[in-house]
Amino acid sequence: MDFFQRQDNARRKTSLLVLLFVIAVLLVVVAVNGAIFVIFKFSNSYEFDTAQWWLGAPAAYTALGTLLVIIAGSLTCYIKLGSGGVAVAKMAGAERVDLNSRSSEIRTYINVVEEMSIAAGLPVPEIFIMPQELAINAFVAGYTPADTVVVITQGALVTLSRDELQGVIGHEFSHILHADTLINLRLMALLAGILFVGDIGQFLMRSSSRGRHSSRRSKEEGGMLLLGLALAIIGYVGVFMGRLIKAAVSRQREFLADASSVQFTRNPEGIAGALFTIDQHTSSSYLTHTIQAESMNHMCFGETVKIGFSKLLASHPPIRERIDALGGSMFARVRSKNRNKQQPAPVNEQTKTSADLPKEAKGFASGSSTSASPVTNKKNVNELPPISYVSPVKKNAGANTSSFKTATGEVSVEDVDHARLLLQRLPEEVHQLTHTPSGAALIIICLIAKENNLSEKEITSVYNQSGFNFPPVGTITTIFALTERIDNQLRMPVLELCSPTLKTLDTKQRETLIFSLFSLAKSDGKISLFEFLCLSFLELQLPAKVRKPKIRQTYKLHELSDELDTILTLIYQAGVPHQDEAAAKTILEDSIHRLCGGKSQQPLTSKRNTREVSAAFNKLRDLSPLLKPAVLDAATDLILADNVITTKEYDVLRVIASCLDCPMPALMIRK
């Protein structure tokens, strides 16, 4: 099953989830009706018989009230989860990791996440830690890859080795690739409504209990206490049904995620060792410092709460079964390997000391910024120049294309090794600067300024317009010199490293930064291909609000014929300087005809402006998962017209894949 089929199956699972939820809601409604009927029947408060209750207005009103309570609970949770993965992390009591920490454990954690992200072609997620949790656990959460966060416990950070941590992170990234994170959030919101019934019951019990101490117990108070007790019991029944649903949705995919982690790392002992350590750890994987442990159970690496009847209700298979599934003798191997392993004492606080930066760039360690309004006239920015194309790298810098078209959503150990090499090639000073908002912003400004040959004064002005304080004297020159060492193949990975840092800016700061970058890009009267791709990528990764997948999707490609025409023509024009123009033109026309059933509506030589291409990107995001491979295949065929993939061509494809929420591993260029 390929990536796109898994995404489509994940969306279909939502239908199964809704069906199970509806069944659970009906059972809760019947149970609430039964509880209230019994209380009223035996309290002699009202005179009615069974038929009058169940077939009349009382049962209908009770059912309506119960449904409203469940809907209110689910809707409240859904609103709380509006910011996607960050909302879940905060609900769990997690804190953002200081990306400039000198702690060796934190540095390892950051490096593993960045390597895995670049290898998988996924946006680098925001990185969190649960500092009070001494158990070993982790989770990822988010509606789309762009708003995903990765979270681990303090116990996992200080207890696991690098190989074990990489195995856990590989497992969690598998959930992103399989679109499990979307299902997890929807499941969390739906089940919150059922649990809300039990919360109301507990509230009524506490209220009645307080009433007994302040006044004489009356029949009404007794009835309220019984009603609260009944609703609390029904709430526990709701928990039981919620666990059943979680088990039905989650259990088998944990085996798949474990297997995928082995595929990513080629080291089964890594994740097996982590599972064995959980089995032997004094705190296991149970979360004790968050009230969300129950609701998050299905999205974590291991069980977050102790569950009775675990064979029926657990969201995860038993640890021994998970280890054995990785290899017949794996449990014995990891037990032997870990026999003499010492458990390090857990630490409750992160080391939050900034790493050393270049002398002239120390002012960026804090990442401080101020909100500033753009001084450039918006009307001028909206005068959109055409996208210009610069000749790409030479043909002898092409890539091996044999398995390129099947790379989407797949991660190999070679991809992980290549990502590690890319990060090693990146100047360490630049890597450190990507970890602060001010440093990340200045790196991107300098990359765009290189395209326009701007002076230090002009760069400083744009930087200040972006909402940041004036940098120390000499900083611009130093960082601009550092960006000169970033070759074309490293520019997209650098943008990916900058994106999670820039996500910490508030909405106004993000908009101001992108606005200033757009002004900078068009300062020479045109927008280069890299400038456009850079701005498009940042707009995708730094939206004003979290983009949730639409329920209604586009299922017919011809409905987006103009948008597909625009995107494919963009790729054609980017590759023409080094391709066989006639062959590329033939492939373009065939692709448009195959996808849309017609011919291009615009001359192939006409330049597309940024507004047209951005609008096309936004429309393509709503494609059904099963239609996305046809678009990527057409784009890839066009790029491979001469059997060569250049860095610039790959960057175009990478942004298109990001628009479609499709992971695209980093390209391995032959030197």
Side-chain angles (χ1 to χ4, degrees):
M1 184 184 298
D2 64 16
F3 168 77
F4 302 101
Q5 289 175 318
R6 291 196 298 263
Q7 275 208 330
D8 187 63
N9 284 351
R11 295 182 185 277
R12 292 177 185 275
K13 280 184 180 178
T14 301
S15 301
L16 172 63
L17 178 60
V18 171
L19 175 62
L20 294 174
F21 173 72
V22 169
I23 294 173
V25 167
L26 291 176
L27 292 175
V28 169
V29 167
V30 172
V32 171
N33 260 294
I36 296 178
F37 169 76
V38 170
I39 292 171
F40 284 169
K41 182 74 173 178
F42 292 98
S43 64
N44 296 320
S45 299
Y46 299 94
E47 293 294 334
F48 54 79
D49 59 23
T50 302
Q52 287 177 330
W53 175 273
W54 290 102
L55 300 179
Y61 287 133
T62 302
L64 179 61
T66 305
L67 287 174
L68 290 176
V69 167
I70 293 175
I71 292 172
S74 293
L75 186 60
T76 300
C77 183
Y78 182 78
I79 293 172
K80 286 181 179 178
L81 297 176
S83 57
V86 173
V88 180
K90 291 181 177 179
M91 288 169 64
E95 300 173 359
R96 277 190 176 88
V97 164
D98 175 13
L99 298 180
N100 284 315
S101 171
R102 288 180 174 174
S103 163
S104 60
E105 292 90 355
I106 293 288
R107 298 306 311 163
T108 299
Y109 177 29
I110 295 170
N111 290 339
V112 169
V113 171
E114 290 179 342
E115 287 173 8
M116 197 66 68
S117 300
I118 293 174
L122 288 165
V124 179
E126 294 188 69
I127 305 174
F128 284 76
I129 187 172
M130 301 175 72
Q132 303 301 319
E133 297 291 352
L134 304 185
I136 300 173
N137 222 322
F139 68 88
V140 288
Y143 288 107
T144 66
D147 72 275
T148 298
V149 302
V150 58
V151 184
I152 67 169
T153 61
Q154 183 72 25
L157 186 70
V158 301
T159 305
L160 301 181
S161 67
R162 191 188 197 282
D163 286 346
E164 292 168 346
L165 181 63
Q166 188 179 46
V168 172
I169 298 300
H171 172 104
E172 296 305 323
F173 268 73
S174 171
H175 286 309
I176 303 175
L177 291 171
H178 297 159
D180 292 335
T181 53
L182 174 63
I183 300 297
N184 286 341
L185 288 189
R186 288 176 173 172
L187 181 59
M188 189 175 183
L190 287 176
L191 294 181
I194 297 177
L195 299 179
F196 193 41
V197 175
D199 293 339
I200 291 177
Q202 293 179 6
F203 171 77
L204 292 177
M205 288 177 63
R206 289 194 298 269
S207 299
S208 298
S209 177
R210 286 194 295 268
R212 284 182 313 194
H213 298 294
S214 58
S215 63
R216 192 175 61 181
R217 184 177 180 180
S218 64
K219 285 187 177 182
E220 288 77 10
E221 288 173 339
M224 189 70 71
L225 178 63
L226 290 175
L227 177 60
L229 177 61
L231 291 179
I233 293 173
I234 292 170
Y236 287 116
V237 173
V239 171
F240 176 83
M241 290 185 291
R243 287 177 177 174
L244 274 179
I245 294 174
K246 291 177 185 178
V249 173
S250 303
R251 184 172 286 198
Q252 287 303 313
R253 70 184 184 182
E254 294 301 320
F255 283 123
L256 175 60
D258 289 344
S260 297
S261 176
V262 175
Q263 176 188 339
F264 299 165
T265 63
R266 290 292 191 273
N267 181 15
E269 292 188 9
I271 187 169
L275 290 167
F276 182 83
T277 304
I278 289 176
D279 190 49
Q280 303 298 311
H281 197 268
T282 54
S283 300
S284 187
S285 59
Y286 305 141
L287 303 182
T288 58
H289 288 78
T290 174
I291 60 174
Q292 301 295 334
E294 171 67 43
S295 60
M296 293 169 45
N297 189 37
H298 61 292
M299 64 175 63
C300 289
F301 180 73
E303 297 288 345
T304 59
V305 292
K306 195 168 184 179
I307 295 177
F309 305 102
S310 59
K311 289 186 177 181
L312 176 66
L313 301 178
S315 299
H316 301 70
I319 287 180
R320 177 65 181 266
E321 289 184 19
R322 292 175 68 179
I323 295 176
D324 287 342
L326 301 173
S329 60
M330 185 58 64
F331 187 85
R333 286 164 57 186
V334 295
R335 181 173 58 185
S336 176
K337 183 177 180 179
N338 286 271
R339 182 168 295 147
N340 298 318
K341 182 177 178 180
Q342 297 290 327
Q343 276 193 23
V347 181
N348 287 327
E349 295 183 0
Q350 300 181 53
T351 302
K352 294 190 175 181
T353 307
S354 296
D356 290 334
L357 295 173
K359 181 178 179 181
E360 296 84 354
K362 285 184 179 292
F364 292 88
S366 65
S368 61
S369 64
T370 59
S371 297
S373 300
V375 297
T376 308
N377 191 311
K378 255 187 180 179
K379 182 178 180 181
N380 294 332
V381 175
N382 287 331
E383 295 173 0
L384 302 170
I387 301 171
S388 64
Y389 301 90
V390 183
S391 297
V393 295
K394 297 179 180 179
K395 287 188 179 183
N396 61 9
N400 187 347
T401 63
S402 59
S403 59
F404 182 69
K405 292 176 68 172
T406 61
T408 304
E410 302 296 334
V411 184
S412 66
V413 68
E414 291 80 12
D415 292 321
V416 177
D417 291 340
H418 179 59
R420 187 177 297 117
L421 290 175
L422 285 177
L423 290 174
Q424 290 173 357
R425 282 173 49 197
L426 187 67
E428 179 59 28
E429 300 91 340
V430 172
H431 197 172
Q432 292 177 19
L433 287 168
T434 65
H435 291 160
T436 64
S438 53
L442 190 50
I443 286 175
I444 296 173
I445 290 171
C446 288
L447 286 174
I448 293 179
K450 284 171 58 179
E451 300 280 309
N452 296 340
N453 298 317
L454 297 183
S455 66
E456 178 176 346
K457 182 178 180 181
E458 291 172 311
I459 296 174
T460 303
S461 176
V462 173
Y463 177 76
N464 183 244
Q465 292 173 25
S466 300
F468 298 96
N469 296 322
F470 279 102
V473 176
T475 300
I476 298 292
T477 302
T478 301
I479 296 180
F480 191 83
L482 288 173
T483 58
E484 291 285 351
R485 295 162 55 189
I486 301 175
D487 60 47
N488 290 345
Q489 192 186 355
L490 289 174
R491 291 191 300 189
M492 282 304 296
V494 167
L495 290 179
E496 291 168 352
L497 292 174
C498 289
S499 63
T501 309
L502 295 176
K503 287 175 184 176
T504 62
L505 299 174
D506 61 37
T507 301
K508 183 178 180 181
Q509 288 175 312
R510 295 182 193 182
E511 292 176 345
T512 301
L513 174 61
I514 293 176
F515 183 86
S516 300
L517 291 173
F518 195 98
S519 302
L520 175 64
K522 70 177 288 290
S523 61
D524 60 352
K526 65 180 184 297
I527 294 181
S528 71
L529 182 60
F530 169 72
E531 289 171 337
F532 171 73
L533 295 176
C534 175
L535 291 168
S536 297
F537 182 80
L538 290 175
E539 286 183 330
L540 290 169
Q541 300 303 315
L542 306 174
K545 61 180 181 179
V546 172
R547 183 186 66 87
K548 300 175 183 178
K550 291 185 178 180
I551 297 177
R552 184 187 180 280
Q553 298 177 312
T554 303
Y555 290 93
K556 296 179 180 179
L557 286 171
H558 69 78
E559 294 179 6
L560 300 177
S561 56
D562 292 341
E563 289 76 15
L564 292 169
D565 187 343
T566 297
I567 296 299
L568 293 177
T569 303
L570 174 73
I571 298 172
Y572 165 79
Q573 293 175 343
V576 160
H578 76 278
Q579 288 183 347
D580 180 338
E581 184 173 352
K585 183 177 180 180
T586 299
I587 293 175
L588 172 61
E589 292 175 343
D590 289 346
S591 297
I592 293 175
H593 178 74
R594 185 170 67 252
L595 293 176
C596 310
K599 295 182 179 180
S600 176
Q601 301 299 311
Q602 302 182 47
L604 297 182
T605 56
S606 66
K607 300 292 186 181
R608 275 28 175 191
N609 64 42
T610 54
R611 178 178 295 163
E612 292 175 320
V613 181
S614 296
F617 279 156
N618 288 332
K619 288 286 188 70
L620 290 177
R621 302 187 82 173
D622 297 328
L623 271 178
S624 165
L626 293 182
L627 294 182
K628 292 178 181 180
V631 177
L632 283 181
D633 282 350
T636 305
D637 287 339
L638 195 54
I639 286 174
L640 293 177
D642 58 354
N643 204 35
V644 171
I645 307 170
T646 65
T647 303
K648 286 181 179 289
E649 289 174 324
Y650 176 79
D651 288 348
V652 176
L653 193 61
R654 174 69 180 85
V655 174
I656 293 173
S658 179
C659 164
L660 297 174
D661 289 328
C662 299
M664 183 69 67
L667 182 64
M668 300 185 193
I669 297 288
R670 292 198 304 263
K671 292 296 183 184

